[in-house]
Amino acid sequence: MTEQAAPYMSHPRILVHAVMPGKPGRPPFRIVEIDGQVVGEARAVTDVLEAAAAYGITVHDLDDPDQVRWVGGDKFTWAPH
């Protein structure tokens, strides 16, 4: 057998890390990377879209793993477990 039975793993330009707990007076957040560089913190999905736009990236589908990779949750996960 010459084919590898490994699942396809995309490498999107945008990576949104798991939720980090906030500090007193500061809400939880997620670190956002674009092209492998940390570009900021997101406290809502709109922050991810704004970061992408600042780098010239138009996100058409936040659920498309070829565009955005969500670690530790999805676009609706904004509170620590």
Coordinates of all heavy atoms in Angstrom, one line a residue:
M1 N 0.8 -1.2 0.0 CA 0.0 0.0 0.0 C 0.9 1.2 0.0 O 1.7 1.4 0.9 CB -0.9 0.0 1.2 CG -1.9 1.0 1.3 SD -3.0 0.6 2.7 CE -4.0 2.0 2.7
T2 N 0.7 2.1 -0.9 CA 1.5 3.3 -1.1 C 0.9 4.6 -0.5 O 1.6 5.5 -0.3 CB 1.9 3.5 -2.5 OG1 0.7 3.7 -3.3 CG2 2.7 2.4 -3.1
E3 N -0.4 4.5 -0.3 CA -1.1 5.7 0.2 C -1.1 5.7 1.7 O -1.2 4.7 2.3 CB -2.5 5.8 -0.3 CG -2.6 6.0 -1.8 CD -4.1 6.1 -2.2 OE1 -4.9 6.4 -1.4 OE2 -4.4 5.8 -3.4
Q4 N -0.9 6.9 2.3 CA -0.9 7.0 3.7 C -2.3 7.3 4.2 O -3.0 8.1 3.6 CB 0.0 8.1 4.2 CG 0.2 8.2 5.7 CD 1.1 9.3 6.0 OE1 1.3 10.2 5.3 NE2 1.7 9.2 7.2
A5 N -2.8 6.6 5.2 CA -4.1 6.7 5.7 C -4.2 7.8 6.8 O -4.7 7.6 7.9 CB -4.6 5.4 6.2
A6 N -3.6 8.9 6.6 CA -3.6 10.0 7.6 C -4.7 11.0 7.2 O -4.9 11.3 6.0 CB -2.3 10.7 7.6
P7 N -5.4 11.6 8.2 CA -6.4 12.6 7.9 C -5.7 13.9 7.3 O -4.5 14.2 7.6 CB -7.0 12.9 9.2 CG -6.0 12.5 10.2 CD -5.2 11.4 9.6
Y8 N -6.4 14.6 6.6 CA -6.0 15.9 6.0 C -5.9 16.9 7.1 O -6.8 17.1 7.9 CB -6.9 16.4 4.9 CG -6.6 17.8 4.5 CD1 -5.5 18.1 3.7 CD2 -7.5 18.9 4.8 CE1 -5.3 19.4 3.3 CE2 -7.2 20.1 4.4 CZ -6.1 20.4 3.6 OH -5.9 21.7 3.2
M9 N -4.8 17.6 7.3 CA -4.6 18.7 8.3 C -4.3 20.0 7.5 O -3.3 20.1 6.9 CB -3.5 18.4 9.2 CG -3.2 19.4 10.3 SD -4.6 19.7 11.3 CE -4.2 18.7 12.7
S10 N -5.2 20.9 7.6 CA -5.0 22.2 6.9 C -4.0 23.1 7.7 O -3.8 22.9 8.9 CB -6.3 22.9 6.7 OG -6.9 23.2 8.0
H11 N -3.5 24.0 7.0 CA -2.6 25.0 7.6 C -3.1 26.4 7.3 O -2.6 27.1 6.4 CB -1.2 24.9 7.1 CG -0.6 23.5 7.4 ND1 -0.1 23.2 8.7 CD2 -0.4 22.4 6.7 CE1 0.3 22.0 8.7 NE2 0.2 21.5 7.5
P12 N -4.2 26.8 8.0 CA -4.8 28.1 7.7 C -3.9 29.2 8.2 O -3.0 29.0 9.0 CB -6.1 28.1 8.6 CG -5.8 27.2 9.7 CD -4.9 26.1 9.1
R13 N -4.1 30.4 7.7 CA -3.3 31.6 8.0 C -3.6 32.1 9.4 O -2.8 32.7 10.1 CB -3.5 32.7 7.0 CG -2.9 32.3 5.6 CD -3.1 33.5 4.7 NE -2.2 34.6 5.1 CZ -2.3 35.8 4.6 NH1 -3.2 36.1 3.6 NH2 -1.5 36.8 5.0
I14 N -4.9 31.8 9.9 CA -5.3 32.3 11.2 C -5.4 31.2 12.2 O -6.1 30.2 11.9 CB -6.7 33.0 11.0 CG1 -6.6 34.2 10.0 CG2 -7.2 33.6 12.4 CD1 -7.9 34.7 9.6
L15 N -4.8 31.4 13.3 CA -4.9 30.4 14.4 C -5.4 31.1 15.6 O -4.8 32.1 16.1 CB -3.5 29.8 14.7 CG -3.4 28.8 15.8 CD1 -4.2 27.6 15.6 CD2 -1.9 28.5 16.0
V16 N -6.5 30.6 16.2 CA -7.1 31.2 17.4 C -6.9 30.2 18.6 O -7.4 29.0 18.5 CB -8.6 31.5 17.3 CG1 -9.1 32.2 18.5 CG2 -8.8 32.4 16.0
H17 N -6.1 30.5 19.5 CA -5.7 29.6 20.6 C -6.9 29.5 21.6 O -7.9 30.2 21.6 CB -4.5 30.1 21.4 CG -3.2 30.0 20.6 ND1 -2.4 28.9 20.6 CD2 -2.7 30.8 19.7 CE1 -1.4 29.1 19.8 NE2 -1.5 30.2 19.2
A18 N -6.7 28.5 22.6 CA -7.7 28.3 23.6 C -7.9 29.5 24.5 O -7.1 30.4 24.6 CB -7.3 27.1 24.4
V19 N -9.1 29.5 25.1 CA -9.4 30.6 26.0 C -8.5 30.7 27.2 O -8.2 29.7 27.9 CB -10.9 30.5 26.5 CG1 -11.2 31.6 27.5 CG2 -11.8 30.5 25.4
M20 N -8.0 31.9 27.5 CA -7.1 32.1 28.6 C -8.0 32.8 29.7 O -8.8 33.7 29.3 CB -5.9 33.0 28.3 CG -5.1 32.5 27.1 SD -4.2 31.0 27.6 CE -3.1 31.6 28.8
P21 N -7.9 32.5 30.9 CA -8.7 33.1 32.0 C -8.3 34.6 32.1 O -7.1 34.9 32.0 CB -8.4 32.3 33.2 CG -7.1 31.6 33.0 CD -7.0 31.4 31.5
G22 N -9.2 35.4 32.3 CA -9.0 36.8 32.5 C -8.5 37.1 33.9 O -8.5 36.2 34.8
K23 N -8.1 38.3 34.2 CA -7.7 38.7 35.5 C -8.8 39.5 36.1 O -9.7 39.9 35.3 CB -6.4 39.4 35.4 CG -5.2 38.6 34.9 CD -3.9 39.4 34.9 CE -2.8 38.5 34.3 NZ -1.6 39.2 34.2
P24 N -8.7 39.8 37.4 CA -9.8 40.7 37.9 C -9.9 42.0 37.1 O -9.0 42.7 36.8 CB -9.3 41.0 39.3 CG -8.4 39.8 39.7 CD -7.8 39.4 38.4
G25 N -11.1 42.3 36.7 CA -11.4 43.5 35.9 C -11.0 43.3 34.4 O -11.2 44.2 33.6
R26 N -10.6 42.1 34.0 CA -10.3 41.9 32.6 C -10.9 40.5 32.2 O -10.6 39.5 32.8 CB -8.7 41.8 32.5 CG -8.2 41.7 31.1 CD -6.7 41.9 31.1 NE -6.2 41.6 29.8 CZ -5.1 41.0 29.5 NH1 -4.3 40.6 30.4 NH2 -4.8 40.8 28.3
P27 N -11.7 40.5 31.1 CA -12.4 39.3 30.7 C -11.5 38.3 30.1 O -10.3 38.6 29.7 CB -13.4 39.8 29.7 CG -12.8 41.1 29.1 CD -12.0 41.7 30.3
P28 N -11.9 37.0 30.0 CA -11.1 36.0 29.3 C -10.8 36.4 27.8 O -11.6 37.2 27.3 CB -12.0 34.8 29.3 CG -13.1 35.1 30.4 CD -13.2 36.5 30.4
F29 N -9.8 35.8 27.3 CA -9.4 36.2 25.9 C -8.8 35.0 25.2 O -8.4 34.0 25.9 CB -8.4 37.4 25.9 CG -7.1 37.1 26.6 CD1 -6.0 36.6 25.9 CD2 -7.0 37.2 28.0 CE1 -4.8 36.3 26.6 CE2 -5.8 37.0 28.6 CZ -4.7 36.5 27.9
R30 N -8.6 35.1 23.9 CA -7.9 34.1 23.1 C -6.8 34.8 22.3 O -7.0 35.9 21.8 CB -8.9 33.4 22.2 CG -10.0 32.7 22.9 CD -11.0 32.1 22.0 NE -10.5 30.8 21.5 CZ -11.3 29.9 20.9 NH1 -12.5 30.1 20.7 NH2 -10.7 28.8 20.5
I31 N -5.6 34.2 22.3 CA -4.5 34.7 21.5 C -4.8 34.4 20.0 O -5.2 33.3 19.7 CB -3.2 34.0 21.9 CG1 -2.9 34.3 23.4 CG2 -2.0 34.5 21.1 CD1 -2.6 35.7 23.8
V32 N -4.5 35.4 19.2 CA -4.7 35.2 17.7 C -3.3 35.3 17.0 O -2.5 36.2 17.3 CB -5.6 36.3 17.2 CG1 -5.8 36.1 15.7 CG2 -6.9 36.3 17.9
E33 N -3.1 34.3 16.2 CA -1.9 34.3 15.4 C -2.3 34.4 13.9 O -3.3 33.8 13.5 CB -1.1 33.0 15.5 CG -0.4 32.8 16.8 CD 0.5 31.5 16.8 OE1 0.9 31.0 15.7 OE2 0.7 31.0 17.9
I34 N -1.5 35.1 13.2 CA -1.7 35.2 11.7 C -0.3 34.9 11.1 O 0.7 35.6 11.4 CB -2.2 36.6 11.3 CG1 -3.7 36.7 11.8 CG2 -2.2 36.7 9.7 CD1 -4.4 38.0 11.5
D35 N -0.3 34.0 10.2 CA 1.0 33.6 9.5 C 2.1 33.2 10.5 O 3.2 33.6 10.3 CB 1.4 34.7 8.5 CG 0.4 34.9 7.4 OD1 -0.3 33.9 7.1 OD2 0.4 36.0 6.8
G36 N 1.7 32.6 11.6 CA 2.7 32.2 12.6 C 3.1 33.2 13.6 O 4.0 32.9 14.4
Q37 N 2.6 34.4 13.5 CA 3.0 35.5 14.5 C 1.8 35.9 15.3 O 0.7 36.1 14.8 CB 3.5 36.7 13.7 CG 4.8 36.5 13.0 CD 5.4 37.8 12.5 OE1 4.6 38.7 12.1 NE2 6.7 37.9 12.5
V38 N 2.1 36.1 16.6 CA 1.0 36.5 17.5 C 0.7 38.0 17.1 O 1.6 38.8 17.1 CB 1.5 36.5 19.0 CG1 0.4 37.1 19.9 CG2 1.7 35.0 19.4
V39 N -0.6 38.2 16.9 CA -1.0 39.6 16.5 C -1.9 40.3 17.5 O -2.2 41.5 17.4 CB -1.7 39.6 15.1 CG1 -0.8 39.1 14.0 CG2 -3.0 38.8 15.2
G40 N -2.3 39.5 18.5 CA -3.1 40.2 19.6 C -4.0 39.2 20.3 O -3.9 38.0 20.2
E41 N -4.9 39.8 21.1 CA -5.9 39.1 21.9 C -7.3 39.3 21.3 O -7.6 40.4 20.9 CB -5.8 39.5 23.3 CG -4.5 39.3 24.0 CD -4.4 39.9 25.4 OE1 -5.4 40.5 25.8 OE2 -3.4 39.7 26.1
A42 N -8.1 38.3 21.4 CA -9.5 38.4 21.0 C -10.4 38.1 22.1 O -10.2 37.1 22.9 CB -9.8 37.5 19.8
R43 N -11.4 38.9 22.4 CA -12.4 38.7 23.4 C -13.8 38.3 22.8 O -14.7 38.0 23.5 CB -12.5 39.9 24.3 CG -11.3 40.0 25.2 CD -11.3 41.2 26.1 NE -10.1 41.2 26.9 CZ -8.8 41.5 26.5 NH1 -8.7 41.8 25.2 NH2 -7.8 41.5 27.3
A44 N -13.8 38.4 21.5 CA -15.1 38.0 20.7 C -14.7 37.7 19.3 O -13.6 38.1 18.8 CB -16.0 39.2 20.8
V45 N -15.6 37.1 18.6 CA -15.3 36.7 17.2 C -15.0 37.9 16.3 O -14.2 37.9 15.4 CB -16.4 35.8 16.7 CG1 -17.7 36.6 16.4 CG2 -16.0 35.1 15.4
T46 N -15.6 39.0 16.7 CA -15.4 40.2 15.9 C -13.9 40.7 16.0 O -13.4 41.2 15.0 CB -16.3 41.4 16.3 OG1 -16.2 41.6 17.7 CG2 -17.8 41.1 16.0
D47 N -13.3 40.4 17.1 CA -11.9 40.8 17.2 C -11.0 40.0 16.3 O -10.0 40.4 15.8 CB -11.4 40.6 18.7 CG -12.1 41.5 19.7 OD1 -12.5 42.6 19.3 OD2 -12.2 41.1 20.9
V48 N -11.4 38.7 16.1 CA -10.7 37.8 15.1 C -10.8 38.4 13.7 O -9.8 38.5 13.0 CB -11.2 36.4 15.2 CG1 -10.5 35.5 14.2 CG2 -10.9 35.8 16.6
L49 N -12.0 38.8 13.4 CA -12.3 39.3 12.0 C -11.5 40.6 11.8 O -11.0 40.9 10.7 CB -13.8 39.5 11.8 CG -14.6 38.2 11.8 CD1 -16.1 38.5 11.8 CD2 -14.2 37.4 10.6
E50 N -11.5 41.5 12.8 CA -10.8 42.7 12.7 C -9.3 42.5 12.6 O -8.6 43.2 11.8 CB -11.1 43.6 13.9 CG -12.5 44.2 13.9 CD -12.8 44.9 15.2 OE1 -11.9 45.1 16.1 OE2 -13.9 45.4 15.3
A51 N -8.7 41.5 13.3 CA -7.3 41.2 13.2 C -7.0 40.7 11.8 O -6.0 41.1 11.1 CB -6.9 40.2 14.2
A52 N -7.9 39.9 11.3 CA -7.7 39.3 9.9 C -7.7 40.5 8.9 O -6.9 40.5 8.0 CB -8.7 38.3 9.6
A53 N -8.7 41.3 9.0 CA -8.8 42.5 8.1 C -7.6 43.4 8.1 O -7.1 43.9 7.1 CB -10.1 43.2 8.4
A54 N -7.0 43.6 9.3 CA -5.8 44.4 9.4 C -4.6 43.8 8.7 O -3.7 44.6 8.3 CB -5.5 44.6 10.9
Y55 N -4.7 42.5 8.5 CA -3.6 41.8 7.7 C -4.0 41.5 6.3 O -3.4 40.7 5.6 CB -3.1 40.6 8.4 CG -2.2 40.9 9.6 CD1 -2.8 41.3 10.8 CD2 -0.8 40.9 9.5 CE1 -1.9 41.7 11.9 CE2 0.0 41.2 10.5 CZ -0.6 41.6 11.7 OH 0.2 42.0 12.8
G56 N -5.1 42.1 5.8 CA -5.6 41.9 4.5 C -6.2 40.6 4.2 O -6.3 40.2 3.0
I57 N -6.7 40.0 5.2 CA -7.4 38.7 5.0 C -8.9 38.8 5.2 O -9.4 39.4 6.2 CB -6.9 37.6 6.1 CG1 -5.3 37.5 6.0 CG2 -7.6 36.3 5.9 CD1 -4.7 36.7 7.1
T58 N -9.6 38.4 4.2 CA -11.1 38.4 4.2 C -11.5 37.0 4.6 O -11.2 36.0 3.9 CB -11.7 38.8 2.9 OG1 -11.2 40.1 2.6 CG2 -13.2 38.8 3.0
V59 N -12.2 36.8 5.7 CA -12.7 35.5 6.1 C -14.1 35.4 5.7 O -15.0 36.1 6.1 CB -12.6 35.4 7.7 CG1 -13.1 34.0 8.1 CG2 -11.1 35.5 8.1
H60 N -14.4 34.4 4.8 CA -15.7 34.2 4.3 C -16.5 33.2 5.2 O -17.7 33.3 5.2 CB -15.7 33.7 2.9 CG -15.1 34.7 1.9 ND1 -15.7 35.8 1.5 CD2 -13.9 34.8 1.3 CE1 -15.0 36.5 0.7 NE2 -13.8 35.9 0.6
D61 N -15.8 32.3 5.8 CA -16.4 31.2 6.6 C -15.6 30.9 7.8 O -14.5 30.3 7.7 CB -16.6 30.0 5.7 CG -17.4 28.9 6.4 OD1 -17.8 29.1 7.6 OD2 -17.6 27.8 5.8
L62 N -16.0 31.3 9.0 CA -15.3 31.1 10.2 C -15.2 29.6 10.6 O -14.4 29.2 11.4 CB -15.9 31.9 11.4 CG -15.7 33.4 11.4 CD1 -16.6 34.1 12.3 CD2 -14.2 33.7 11.7
D63 N -16.1 28.8 10.0 CA -16.1 27.3 10.2 C -15.2 26.6 9.3 O -15.1 25.3 9.4 CB -17.5 26.8 10.2 CG -18.4 27.4 11.3 OD1 -17.9 27.5 12.4 OD2 -19.5 27.7 11.0
D64 N -14.6 27.2 8.3 CA -13.8 26.6 7.3 C -12.4 26.4 7.9 O -11.7 27.3 8.1 CB -13.7 27.4 6.0 CG -12.9 26.8 4.9 OD1 -12.3 25.7 5.2 OD2 -12.9 27.4 3.8
P65 N -12.0 25.1 8.1 CA -10.7 24.9 8.7 C -9.5 25.3 7.8 O -8.4 25.4 8.2 CB -10.7 23.4 8.9 CG -11.7 22.8 8.0 CD -12.7 23.9 7.8
D66 N -9.8 25.6 6.5 CA -8.7 26.1 5.6 C -8.5 27.6 5.8 O -7.5 28.1 5.4 CB -9.0 25.8 4.2 CG -8.9 24.3 3.8 OD1 -8.1 23.6 4.4 OD2 -9.7 23.8 3.0
Q67 N -9.4 28.2 6.5 CA -9.3 29.7 6.8 C -8.9 30.0 8.2 O -8.0 30.8 8.5 CB -10.6 30.4 6.4 CG -10.9 30.4 5.0 CD -12.0 31.4 4.6 OE1 -12.7 31.9 5.5 NE2 -12.1 31.8 3.4
V68 N -9.6 29.3 9.2 CA -9.3 29.6 10.6 C -9.2 28.3 11.3 O -10.1 27.4 11.1 CB -10.5 30.4 11.2 CG1 -10.2 30.7 12.7 CG2 -10.7 31.7 10.4
R69 N -8.2 28.2 12.2 CA -8.1 27.0 13.1 C -8.4 27.4 14.5 O -7.8 28.3 15.0 CB -6.7 26.4 13.0 CG -6.7 25.1 13.9 CD -5.4 24.3 13.7 NE -5.4 23.2 14.6 CZ -4.4 22.8 15.3 NH1 -3.2 23.4 15.1 NH2 -4.5 21.8 16.1
W70 N -9.4 26.8 15.1 CA -9.8 27.1 16.5 C -9.3 26.1 17.4 O -9.6 24.9 17.2 CB -11.4 27.2 16.6 CG -12.0 28.2 15.7 CD1 -12.4 28.1 14.4 CD2 -12.2 29.6 16.0 NE1 -12.9 29.2 13.9 CE2 -12.8 30.2 14.9 CE3 -12.0 30.4 17.1 CZ2 -13.2 31.5 14.9 CZ3 -12.4 31.7 17.1 CH2 -13.0 32.3 16.0
V71 N -8.5 26.4 18.4 CA -7.9 25.5 19.3 C -8.7 25.6 20.6 O -8.9 26.7 21.1 CB -6.4 25.8 19.5 CG1 -5.9 24.8 20.6 CG2 -5.7 25.7 18.2
G72 N -9.1 24.5 21.2 CA -9.8 24.5 22.5 C -11.2 25.0 22.4 O -11.7 25.6 23.4
G73 N -11.9 24.9 21.3 CA -13.2 25.3 21.2 C -13.5 25.9 19.8 O -12.6 25.7 18.9
D74 N -14.6 26.5 19.6 CA -14.9 27.1 18.3 C -15.2 28.5 18.4 O -14.9 29.2 19.4 CB -16.1 26.3 17.7 CG -17.4 26.4 18.5 OD1 -17.4 27.2 19.4 OD2 -18.3 25.6 18.2
K75 N -15.8 29.1 17.4 CA -16.1 30.5 17.4 C -17.1 31.0 18.5 O -17.2 32.2 18.7 CB -16.6 31.0 16.0 CG -18.0 30.4 15.6 CD -18.4 30.7 14.2 CE -19.7 30.1 13.9 NZ -20.0 30.3 12.5
F76 N -17.7 30.0 19.1 CA -18.7 30.4 20.2 C -18.1 30.2 21.6 O -18.7 30.4 22.6 CB -19.9 29.5 20.1 CG -20.7 29.7 18.8 CD1 -20.8 28.7 17.9 CD2 -21.3 30.9 18.5 CE1 -21.5 28.8 16.7 CE2 -22.0 31.1 17.3 CZ -22.1 30.0 16.4
T77 N -16.8 29.7 21.6 CA -16.2 29.5 22.9 C -15.3 30.7 23.4 O -14.3 30.9 22.8 CB -15.2 28.2 22.8 OG1 -16.0 27.1 22.3 CG2 -14.7 27.9 24.1
W78 N -15.8 31.4 24.4 CA -15.2 32.6 24.8 C -15.1 32.6 26.4 O -14.8 33.7 27.0 CB -15.9 33.8 24.3 CG -15.7 33.9 22.8 CD1 -16.6 33.5 21.9 CD2 -14.5 34.3 22.1 NE1 -16.1 33.6 20.6 CE2 -14.8 34.1 20.7 CE3 -13.3 34.7 22.5 CZ2 -13.9 34.4 19.7 CZ3 -12.4 35.0 21.5 CH2 -12.7 34.9 20.1
A79 N -15.3 31.5 27.0 CA -15.2 31.4 28.5 C -14.3 30.2 28.8 O -14.4 29.2 28.1 CB -16.5 31.3 29.1
P80 N -13.5 30.3 29.8 CA -12.6 29.1 30.2 C -13.5 28.0 30.7 O -14.6 28.2 31.2 CB -11.7 29.6 31.2 CG -12.3 30.9 31.7 CD -13.2 31.4 30.7
H81 N -13.0 26.7 30.5 CA -13.8 25.6 30.9 C -13.7 25.4 32.4 O -12.8 25.6 33.1 CB -13.3 24.3 30.2 CG -13.6 24.4 28.8 ND1 -13.3 23.3 27.9 CD2 -14.0 25.3 28.0 CE1 -13.6 23.7 26.7 NE2 -14.1 24.9 26.7

